Every structure is written in C-alpha cells, then in structure tokens.
Amino acid sequence: MRAERSHGYCVAIRTMPPCSISRCSHALVPSDDSTSGSPRWLGRSLSCVCIKRKGAYERIGNNLTPIQVERLQRLKHRMEVYFDASRHEHQEALRALWSATYPDQELIGLISDQWKQMGWQGRDPSTDFRGAGFISLENLLFFAKTFNASFQKLLNKQGGKRSAWEYPFAVAGVNITFMIMQMLDLQSSKPRTFIRTVFIQMLSEDEWAFDLLYCVAFMVMDKQWLDRNASYMEFNEVLRCTRQQLERELLLDDVMRIEDMPSYSLLSQS
C-alpha cells in the first residue's frame, strides 16, 4: 500500500475513466498521487462556471491582496514541512493526536502497536507521513479537535453498511491531505485552475480554510465509500470521485466559504 512521491510514499490514485455523479467513490491502493501546519486550535477542470464568475476569479488570481499573499505563503510553508520524528514539536503533535483520539487510553510510546488501531500501517506512524508531510498530521489533529463527533464516527466506522475490508483511517487521512494539495495546485507559480483562485479567495476569509476543506473531504470520501459499498481495493477510485465532488461544490456560484459547501453539513461538532 506504499507508493513513491518524491520524498515519500502514499496510497495511490489510479488513472480511471470519469465516474458517474451518482456512483462516485474511491479506494486505498498504493500510488504517486495521494498524500502530504498550525490548525485553528493551535493559534487561534470544470467548465460549468459562468462567464461573469470566471472573469471575477481571473482578476482575483492575478491581483492578490496583501492578506491573501500572506496567508497563501503561510499555507505553502506548512505544505513544505516534512515530518521529522526527532523534532520535539512533531512528537508532541503525535501525542496530541493520540490524546484527542483516545482520551481514556494512555499511549505507551511513539513507536507502539497501539498506533495500528488508529489505522497506521505499522508501529511507527512517522513513516506514513512521508508522502504528505507534517501538515497531514495537523489536518488529522484539527479534525479531531474541531469536529470530534464526526472524527470518532469515521475512526470507528460507525453508520452504514461497512465493508469487511475497510480503509485504514489514519492512512486515508494522509492521502486526503495530498489529494487536496494536488487539487488546489497552490505550489505553482501562477494560477492554472479556477479551483485555486476560488480557494485563495476563501483563504482570505478564513485562515483555516484548508483544514476545514480537509474535514469536509474526509466526510465526503466516507459517504461515497458507503454509497458505493466499496472495499479496500477501491479506495483510489473513491478518492478520485471525492475530488470531483469537491471541485463541483467549490465552483458553485453561492459557495464563498468552506461552510457554504453543501457537504459541510455532513460535519458535526457535538
């Protein structure tokens, strides 16, 4: 289930023909197209776009405001940070993730069989961050801290008819981070997609738009997984269609914030 992506590996996204809107889904299989912060709790393409909106976002993409420039650079920096098991703050982030996930269970160590129950591939979760970096850990932590009920529901595979061979929760989360990074294309020097310019506008409204989009994406992925009655080997197909649904929603004319996306309603804080 590992695949090379420059400095790491991750679950793959196979090249598949476009999925139908009614049966979009994705599966966990190794690939080069799947994975990589400070979350809110720490510090506080498609052609359906109308011409009017298209012109507006072209202007946004070419003329960023100072706040957009600042927040975009900050997010890019987060994406460039590799997970380093020797760094104290990275170790503490892992411990914080464990505490948020299993508040009543004491963690034996940063290398332990305990991590497997969260959906890591082995005893040492640090090896699974290579494809997406430290931001993928921050995304999981943000999800656990901000929408704990939804986080626990997905972690424990509650609701719906579950597969006998389910996707590993934590590794799926790393793949979702990488998928979003690819979709937004924020590392390119010039805007190449409307998705990127739409998101940059959202980022100016909320510094944690990336983390919120991650939470929405995880919920969408799980819903499509259930709708398709998918199993482990179909994860990459499910992930691809998750991306397609996110793109459709981000380009809706009445979606100005992540909270405006129809699938945001899948999240629960209580």
Side-chain angles (χ1 to χ4, degrees), residues 27 29 91 133 189 227 236 253:
V29 183
Q91 296 173 6
S189 58
D227 290 346
N236 292 319
D253 283 339

Side-chain angles (χ1 to χ4, degrees), residues 215-250:
C215 299
V216 173
F218 218 138
M219 298 301 296
V220 169
M221 185 280 293
D222 188 73
K223 184 177 186 302
Q224 291 189 1
W225 177 273
L226 291 174
D227 290 346
R228 187 181 176 88
N229 193 25
S231 64
Y232 181 88
M233 296 303 292
E234 296 173 276
F235 178 82
N236 292 319
E237 182 187 352
V238 173
L239 193 60
R240 178 178 56 82
C241 288
T242 297
R243 172 171 171 167
Q244 290 183 350
Q245 180 171 338
L246 295 175
E247 289 174 336
R248 285 194 297 272
E249 293 192 16
L250 286 168

Side-chain angles (χ1 to χ4, degrees), residues 23-159:
R23 284 184 63 79
C24 273
S25 264
H26 283 46
L28 274 174
V29 183
S31 138
D32 339 10
D33 286 350
S34 306
T35 22
S36 140
S38 277
R40 171 177 308 191
W41 66 271
L42 282 178
R44 110 192 79 98
S45 275
L46 299 186
S47 59
C48 59
V49 181
C50 68
I51 298 301
K52 181 178 179 182
R53 180 169 175 137
K54 175 180 177 181
Y57 281 126
E58 282 178 342
R59 289 193 296 274
I60 292 171
N62 293 327
N63 300 285
L64 299 184
T65 66
I67 188 66
Q68 288 172 338
V69 171
E70 177 188 348
R71 289 182 175 180
L72 179 58
Q73 289 303 318
R74 191 176 304 165
L75 180 55
K76 284 183 177 182
H77 174 71
R78 291 178 63 191
M79 292 177 174
E80 293 167 356
V81 177
Y82 287 96
F83 184 88
D84 184 348
S86 67
R87 292 180 59 175
H88 177 73
E89 59 267 37
H90 291 196
Q91 296 173 6
E92 288 305 302
L94 263 181
R95 292 189 178 94
L97 177 62
W98 179 270
S99 296
T101 306
Y102 304 109
D104 299 323
Q105 291 187 42
E106 181 180 356
L107 177 64
I108 295 175
L110 294 180
I111 299 179
S112 165
D113 283 332
Q114 287 178 294
W115 290 104
K116 295 179 183 179
Q117 71 187 81
M118 195 187 294
W120 300 104
Q121 296 185 91
R123 303 179 70 249
D124 183 2
S126 68
T127 61
D128 289 327
F129 294 116
R130 292 173 183 167
F134 185 58
I135 191 173
S136 58
L137 172 54
E138 290 189 310
N139 287 160
L140 279 167
L141 192 46
F142 179 92
F143 191 12
K145 292 280 188 176
T146 310
F147 302 102
N148 189 259
S150 295
F151 180 90
Q152 293 292 338
K153 180 179 178 180
L154 270 54
L155 169 71
N156 297 303
K157 302 297 192 294
Q158 298 170 345

